Amino acid sequence: MKHKFYDVKTKSHIETEVLETVTFQNGSRTSYAFKGKTADGRSLTAFVSKAVWDKAAK
């Protein structure tokens, strides 16, 4: 599955393959995210809603 990520270094949006779906816990709050990589190997993270995350995790 592909997703649009924001590349901070180039200050542009890129569309790349989602490598994994992750969750982050902060007390009682849960954040949902996709992880990806740029063509030159830098890590990308895009925070998404629970609905989008659930759809991708299936």
Side-chain angles (χ1 to χ4, degrees), residues 1-3 5 16-24 31-37 43-48 52-54 56-58:
M1 168 184 153
K2 289 194 175 242
H3 187 75
F5 293 86
T16 187
E17 200 66 34
V18 173
L19 300 177
E20 64 179 313
T21 56
V22 295
T23 60
F24 297 99
S31 298
Y32 302 91
F34 293 151
K35 294 281 195 169
K37 287 211 181 268
S43 295
L44 299 168
T45 303
F47 290 94
V48 297
V52 172
W53 189 86
D54 284 339
K58 289 183 179 182

Side-chain angles (χ1 to χ4, degrees), residues 1-2 4-7 10-13 15 23-24 28-30 33 35-36 38 40-41 43 45-46 50 52 55 58:
M1 168 184 153
K2 289 194 175 242
K4 189 177 275 190
F5 293 86
Y6 183 73
D7 187 349
T10 62
K11 297 180 182 162
S12 63
H13 289 278
E15 191 167 337
T23 60
F24 297 99
S28 62
R29 181 181 169 171
T30 303
K35 294 281 195 169
T38 60
D40 60 351
S43 295
T45 303
K50 183 173 180 354
V52 172
K55 190 175 165 184
K58 289 183 179 182

